[in-house]
Amino acid sequence: MGSRILLTIFLIVTVQVFSQQRIILFVNGYLGYKHDQKPTDNSVSTKRKSYWYNYDDSIIARFQPVLPVYASGHHSLSTSTHRNLARVVGSYVFSRCFPFRSKKGVFLNTRTNPEGFLTRYESGRVCGQNYLRFVKDSLSQSSQKDTLDIVCHSMGYAYALGILSVIDSSVVLGKILMISPEMAGYRGYDWNKFSEVWQYGSNLGESKADLICFQDGIAPQCRVNGLELLDPSKGGRVYVPKHAKRGFNRSHHLHFFQWFFDLKKGDRGYFGR
């Protein structure tokens, strides 16, 4: 009798384990000026995107076993704080010519573009609906006990928020890695719903911020909205280190984020399953 009870418990636990999956969603940002007028289709796919420079492989390896899926938060430059290419060029030239500290980011395009942010947010909501359909149609063992981890970069931040607003009640939120989020201070989330939250990027706005010429000029950084309410044991901000390649583009572009993977267990910002 006792062995039969133990067998029943074993089968129940086994079914529960195999019915729960861990999914990691990669949300990319701007794809470059030549794709500026090509809108995202708001789809979700298991097909990997070159945008991530194989960094996704390194992240996936740390979260194994996990199923990676991809979405694109790419939108026109007009939805960013730059608003147009001329303002990007002007910001680059002036911020490079005058190497000084500025807590407010003088010469960087920091003025919020609410309409642009909300355009990406609403597109993300459409993607959120597509995500739920994708999971239902493509993942036979999906359930509301599935854990979702998110990695977003740059423009992908606003887009990821839109996705979250649709799906957060249908999944268990795991960890979120926000890399150089664009317009991060405009709108946020109840980050304590995640088990772990990290924002990676430049230290603009801090008392000992890097010189303007070393700041992220593509997406001038500020603290993610709501991050001040996060339980400190769950995460926070991690800044581009002094030894890394820094600058208008280098402090933003994923190609220069090798330092991101040099973080070791015990280091602030280390991530993994």
Side-chain angles (χ1 to χ4, degrees):
M1 183 70 175
S3 59
R4 183 174 299 177
I5 293 174
L6 288 175
L7 178 60
T8 301
I9 293 174
F10 172 78
L11 290 174
I12 291 174
V13 171
T14 301
V15 169
Q16 288 179 338
V17 168
F18 283 98
S19 66
Q20 298 172 28
Q21 302 179 88
R22 193 168 192 127
I23 302 170
I24 188 164
L25 173 63
F26 290 90
V27 186
N28 64 258
Y30 191 59
L31 296 176
Y33 197 66
K34 70 177 182 179
H35 300 288
D36 189 74
Q37 297 302 313
K38 184 178 180 181
T40 178
D41 62 4
N42 298 318
S43 66
V44 177
S45 171
T46 56
K47 184 179 180 180
R48 58 177 311 194
K49 298 182 183 296
S50 59
Y51 181 96
W52 295 98
Y53 289 93
N54 296 326
Y55 284 2
D56 53 333
D57 284 345
S58 299
I59 296 173
I60 291 166
R62 290 195 188 180
F63 278 85
Q64 288 289 6
V66 67
L67 173 68
V69 295
Y70 298 84
S72 177
H74 168 80
H75 280 68
S76 169
L77 191 64
S78 63
T79 69
S80 73
T81 58
H82 299 291
R83 293 172 170 81
N84 59 61
L85 186 59
R87 284 171 53 84
V88 177
V89 175
S91 178
Y92 174 81
V93 171
F94 284 107
S95 64
R96 298 286 292 177
C97 291
F98 297 94
F100 61 88
R101 298 183 194 281
S102 170
K103 193 173 181 179
K104 294 184 178 180
V106 173
F107 297 132
L108 300 180
N109 292 323
T110 58
R111 184 165 61 91
T112 302
N113 181 350
E115 296 81 5
F117 188 99
L118 292 175
T119 294
R120 282 180 273 136
Y121 179 86
E122 290 301 324
S123 291
R125 286 182 56 81
V126 175
C127 184
Q129 296 292 346
N130 290 335
Y131 174 87
L132 294 177
R133 277 192 289 270
F134 169 83
V135 169
K136 180 180 179 181
D137 296 342
S138 303
L139 307 180
S140 59
Q141 294 181 343
S142 64
S143 73
Q144 287 195 338
K145 294 182 180 180
D146 291 344
T147 296
L148 178 69
D149 302 300
I150 299 176
V151 181
C152 62
H153 178 247
S154 194
M155 277 191 179
Y157 169 72
Y159 196 78
L161 285 185
I163 295 173
L164 268 174
S165 69
V166 173
I167 71 172
D168 60 354
S169 62
S170 300
V171 298
V172 175
L173 294 176
K175 304 183 180 185
I176 183 166
L177 312 179
M178 298 173 283
I179 308 171
S180 300
E182 198 260 358
M183 266 193 280
Y186 179 67
R187 180 175 286 194
Y189 188 73
D190 180 1
W191 302 112
N192 284 300
K193 290 183 178 181
F194 283 89
S195 63
E196 198 169 325
V197 179
W198 294 108
Q199 176 187 354
Y200 304 88
S202 293
N203 58 0
L204 187 66
E206 298 301 308
S207 57
K208 295 183 179 179
D210 292 337
L211 298 174
I212 287 296
C213 60
F214 291 141
Q215 292 289 341
D216 178 350
I218 302 298
Q221 292 295 287
C222 65
R223 182 175 57 193
V224 164
N225 188 309
L227 200 63
E228 71 278 6
L229 302 176
L230 177 71
D231 179 345
S233 66
K234 287 188 171 186
R237 291 184 74 178
V238 179
Y239 303 118
V240 179
K242 303 293 184 184
H243 67 265
K245 293 180 179 180
R246 295 173 295 160
F248 191 93
N249 186 47
R250 291 182 174 188
S251 294
H252 180 81
H253 203 289
L254 285 176
H255 180 70
F256 301 101
F257 264 67
Q258 290 90 341
W259 63 268
F260 179 70
F261 296 101
D262 291 336
L263 298 171
K264 302 292 191 300
K265 283 187 177 180
D267 290 344
R268 182 172 174 77
Y270 178 83
F271 56 89
R273 189 178 177 86

